[in-house]
Amino acid sequence: MKIYLVGGAVRDMVLNKAPHDKDYVVFGATGQEMLQAGFLQVGKKFPVFLHPITKDEYALARKEEKIGNKHTDFRFIFTPDITPEEDVVRRDFTCNALLYDEEKNELIDLVDGVKDIQNKILKHINSEHFIEDPLRVLRMCRFAAKLDFTVAAETMDLARKMVADGMLNHLTPERIWNEIVYALQQPNFAQFILLMKECGALRAILPELEKLWQTPERTDYHPEGNSGAHTILTLKHGENLSTKAKFALLLHDVGKTLTPQEILPSHRGHDKAAAPLIRSICKRLKVPNDYRDLALMAAAQHMQIRNVLDMRKGRLLTLLMDICNLKYRQNLADYIKICRCDMLGRAREIPQFERQYFRRSAMRLILNFKIQNKIKATDMPNFADASKDTSFAEKFFNYRAEKII
């Protein structure tokens, strides 16, 4: 039995980064021998084992044979005679195929992975095996964005061919959404989207979003020229947002693709037009409800931040109720961050007066949110006896508001 550290942990060592998770590959052993050694098997069909103490994952070396079109349609061969060369060739990228012998402190590089890591190149290992798994197209985009690597030309060409051949149609919505969530967790999510567009995967998976690049903007306000470029700039300003807020930011202007041609490029009404597109995307990809709901709210309300200072208190209450409904009371912080990224997401310097106006608008929202949360039902005596035309919102904000502030 011979055990090697493999995958991302070894790659991170070469990059002088601390590995987050450790995965091991085991040669010359059977599942029964792993169990006899005290390892705990995970699952019934796939021989992955947990170390009894560290709980790190240990997988038997294997070969794979494609038996269908789906991402999971493989026949796995686990025999003790499989060599490192046979195991490595089935892996996706050279940077992820390094082996490390912890006992000998020896790095084993069978695919020139170290050289590619040093040159910051993401390169596939074997074309025949790479095209067997369509999920690798999305993984290519994700790893390149995560590592800030350039995709090798031959790998990008291969990914384009896989997309053109319709291979992404064989991916389940769950697999696609999982890759998107992994990408959302990375600061450079914008690069993931750009690479998806470059290889054609964006058109195949999110055609509604792809259309943003064919949607013109006012160049005096958006020198970047189109809504897709604007969306990328907003994402670059939102690197530290939560995954849900990034997803909302990604879709906040998707309604512009439905803007009637006669009112381009002002895009009046795009905030209201976005809802059916967002619902369709989320239904198709089986997006969780909390992601969907934040995206719907952000698309519908992101234009209102510019009107906050002029709003009457009743209208302001309505906006706050739309932003911070009972289920998602923490939406206000995400809403303000999304609107800020939208303001900054332009290919020009933002004037100081515009930044100050935004800060004042955000502060008014926050202040009134605090007032709203401090007023209780007991602070509203005799409201049930008020006349029908009495505005609850006006009483809500005015009653003892000065004392609360």
Side-chain angles (χ1 to χ4, degrees):
M1 182 186 300
K2 185 61 181 177
I3 299 175
Y4 296 100
L5 184 65
V6 70
V10 187
R11 179 197 67 224
D12 290 343
M13 288 171 55
V14 176
L15 289 168
N16 294 317
K17 296 180 180 179
H20 295 289
D21 300 304
K22 289 187 174 183
D23 296 318
Y24 293 85
V25 60
V26 182
F27 294 91
T30 65
Q32 186 61 36
E33 288 173 329
M34 295 293 288
L35 293 174
Q36 290 174 353
F39 287 83
L40 308 173
Q41 185 167 353
V42 180
K44 296 181 179 180
K45 296 182 179 180
F46 199 82
V48 175
F49 303 84
L50 297 181
H51 191 281
I53 298 176
T54 67
K55 304 304 180 185
D56 292 329
E57 288 192 0
Y58 289 69
L60 294 183
R62 69 180 187 267
K63 292 190 290 186
E64 298 174 352
E65 291 182 359
K66 187 71 171 176
I67 57 175
N69 291 323
K70 295 180 181 179
H71 165 72
T72 54
D73 286 344
F74 285 93
R75 185 171 74 89
F76 301 108
I77 302 170
F78 303 94
T79 55
D81 61 343
I82 292 176
T83 65
E85 289 80 5
E86 290 174 317
D87 181 83
V88 163
V89 75
R90 67 173 175 79
R91 297 183 182 272
D92 50 10
F93 305 107
T94 59
C95 65
N96 293 333
L98 302 174
L99 304 175
Y100 179 69
D101 188 332
E102 292 183 321
E103 293 181 355
K104 297 181 179 179
N105 190 25
E106 179 183 1
L107 182 67
I108 300 172
D109 183 2
L110 302 172
V111 293
D112 286 335
V114 172
K115 178 182 177 182
D116 289 337
I117 291 173
Q118 292 171 341
N119 292 328
K120 303 186 72 173
I121 297 290
L122 190 71
K123 184 185 299 182
H124 70 281
I125 296 172
N126 179 281
S127 298
E128 182 179 348
H129 285 290
F130 189 84
I131 65 173
E132 290 176 341
D133 186 356
L135 190 65
R136 286 176 171 173
V137 174
L138 303 187
R139 284 170 59 85
M140 176 194 78
C141 300
R142 175 165 64 88
F143 275 115
K146 174 183 177 179
L147 300 171
D148 193 23
F149 279 17
T150 300
V151 178
E154 59 268 34
T155 303
M156 180 60 74
D157 289 343
L158 200 58
R160 289 194 183 105
K161 185 178 186 307
M162 293 169 69
V163 174
D165 289 345
M167 292 188 65
L168 269 59
N169 296 333
H170 301 301
L171 292 175
T172 65
E174 292 84 359
R175 289 285 185 178
I176 293 172
W177 176 246
N178 282 342
E179 283 300 315
I180 292 174
V181 170
Y182 291 146
L184 284 166
Q185 294 170 357
Q186 307 303 322
N188 200 5
F189 178 65
Q191 184 64 12
F192 171 78
I193 296 298
L194 286 173
L195 288 168
M196 289 259 290
K197 182 176 183 298
E198 185 178 351
C199 70
L202 192 64
R203 183 182 295 107
I205 292 173
L206 289 168
E208 303 91 342
L209 199 64
E210 168 82 14
K211 291 179 181 178
L212 286 172
W213 274 265
Q214 286 78 54
T215 304
E217 293 276 7
R218 282 177 47 183
T219 54
D220 58 331
Y221 194 72
H222 285 287
E224 60 274 14
N226 64 74
S227 301
H230 163 64
T231 298
I232 292 299
L233 289 174
T234 65
L235 289 172
K236 289 182 177 180
H237 284 285
E239 290 182 348
N240 296 320
L241 296 186
S242 67
T243 57
K244 286 187 290 188
K246 283 183 188 176
F247 181 70
L249 194 56
L250 176 68
L251 300 181
H252 81 285
D253 268 352
V254 72
K256 288 182 177 179
T257 63
L258 298 179
T259 303
Q261 193 67 29
E262 59 268 19
I263 63 172
L264 284 174
S266 63
H267 299 298
R268 291 191 304 274
H270 76 276
D271 46 347
K272 307 306 179 187
L277 290 176
I278 293 174
R279 290 187 184 279
S280 176
I281 290 169
C282 293
K283 182 178 181 180
R284 185 173 70 244
L285 296 182
K286 298 186 178 180
V287 175
N289 290 347
D290 51 347
Y291 281 80
R292 179 202 63 199
D293 292 345
L294 183 60
L296 286 168
M297 183 276 291
Q301 304 298 341
H302 72 277
M303 298 294 289
Q304 295 303 318
I305 190 76
R306 63 187 64 186
N307 302 321
V308 164
L309 294 182
D310 298 322
M311 285 182 183
R312 294 185 177 183
K313 291 179 180 178
R315 176 67 188 93
L316 190 62
L317 172 62
T318 301
L319 176 60
L320 282 168
M321 290 175 68
D322 288 339
I323 296 171
C324 310
N325 57 57
L326 293 177
K327 189 174 180 182
Y328 305 117
R329 296 182 65 83
Q330 300 306 311
N331 276 1
L332 182 59
D334 280 336
Y335 172 77
I336 291 173
K337 292 174 183 178
I338 289 167
C339 291
R340 181 178 182 274
C341 293
D342 185 36
M343 174 191 68
L344 297 176
R346 285 174 271 169
R348 66 173 175 84
E349 183 64 28
I350 309 302
Q352 189 63 30
F353 77 86
E354 193 171 344
R355 294 172 181 266
Q356 292 175 349
Y357 190 89
F358 178 86
R359 282 194 289 269
R360 289 173 59 203
S361 299
M363 287 305 300
R364 189 179 188 216
L365 279 174
I366 294 169
L367 177 61
N368 281 279
F369 178 73
K370 291 180 178 179
I371 294 174
Q372 169 189 322
N373 280 278
K374 287 183 179 179
I375 296 179
K376 301 177 182 178
T378 54
D379 295 324
M380 306 292 288
N382 304 321
F383 186 77
D385 299 327
S387 60
K388 291 183 178 180
D389 60 351
T390 300
S391 167
F392 174 77
E394 197 68 20
K395 290 183 69 68
F396 188 90
F397 274 114
N398 286 340
Y399 193 86
R400 290 181 55 202
E402 293 181 1
K403 294 182 180 179
I404 293 173
I405 294 174

